[in-house]
C-alpha cells in the first residue's frame, strides 16, 4: 500500500471518529413533582416542527418518582423542546418547556 493511500485512509478514519465523538448522549433525571401521573414525555430539538416519539413507551412516571432520561439521537444540539402529557383523570393540561439539556442534571415538572 502506498504511503499517500495509507495517509488518506488514516485521515478518513480520524474524521469518522471525530464526527461520532461530537454527538454525545444527553442524560438527565426527570422528576414528577405533580400530583398526577405523567403518561407521555416527548422531546424535539428547538426548531424541529414535529415531536419525537414518546420517551416513556409503555411506562409512566407516578407523582414523586424520578427517572433517568437518555436522549441518544445523534444530534449535537443542546436546546430541546419538551412536552409533558398527564393521565386523563388529571386536572393538568399538557405542558411544554424548552431547556438546554447539555447543562441540565435534573428537571422537575411542577403543577
Amino acid at each position: 500500500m502506498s504511503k499517500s493511500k495509507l495517509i488518506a485512509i488514516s485521515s478518513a478514519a480520524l474524521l469518522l471518529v471525530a464526527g461520532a465523538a461530537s454527538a454525545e448522549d444527553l442524560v438527565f433525571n426527570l422528576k414528577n413533582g405533580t400530583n398526577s401521573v405523567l403518561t407521555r414525555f416527548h422531546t424535539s430539538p428547538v426548531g424541529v416542527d414535529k415531536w419525537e416519539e414518546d420517551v416513556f413507551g409503555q411506562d409512566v412516571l407516578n407523582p414523586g418518582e424520578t427517572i433517568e432520561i437518555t436522549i441518544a439521537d445523534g444530534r449535537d444540539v443542546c436546546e430541546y423542546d419538551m412536552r409533558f402529557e398527564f393521565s386523563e383523570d388529571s386536572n393538568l393540561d399538557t405542558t411544554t418547556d424548552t431547556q438546554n439539556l447539555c447543562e441540565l442534571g435534573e428537571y422537575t415538572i411542577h403543577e
Side-chain angles (χ1 to χ4, degrees):
M1 184 178 298
S2 72
K3 187 176 181 181
S4 62
K5 195 178 246 186
L6 183 59
I7 291 171
I9 291 171
S10 296
S11 297
L14 284 173
L15 287 174
L16 286 174
V17 170
S22 68
E24 294 183 22
D25 294 349
L26 300 174
V27 180
F28 65 98
N29 289 323
L30 175 63
K31 181 176 182 179
N32 184 355
T34 72
N35 291 319
S36 298
V37 176
L38 185 55
T39 57
R40 290 181 189 83
F41 173 61
H42 301 270
T43 63
S44 182
V46 170
V48 173
D49 294 332
K50 186 177 178 186
W51 291 108
E52 305 283 330
E53 291 183 32
D54 175 23
V55 175
F56 291 162
Q58 298 297 321
D59 296 327
V60 298
L61 193 61
N62 290 306
E65 290 184 338
T66 300
I67 188 171
E68 184 176 89
I69 302 290
T70 301
I71 300 175
D73 60 9
R75 297 178 172 111
D76 60 355
V77 298
C78 291
E79 295 286 326
Y80 277 79
D81 292 325
M82 299 182 292
R83 177 183 170 101
F84 305 92
E85 298 178 23
F86 298 93
S87 61
E88 291 181 17
D89 62 346
S90 171
N91 61 350
L92 298 177
D93 294 329
T94 296
T95 304
T96 59
D97 194 7
T98 300
Q99 292 290 324
N100 180 327
L101 297 182
C102 296
E103 298 175 356
L104 191 67
E106 180 173 285
Y107 183 90
T108 302
I109 180 76
H110 296 284
E111 293 189 34

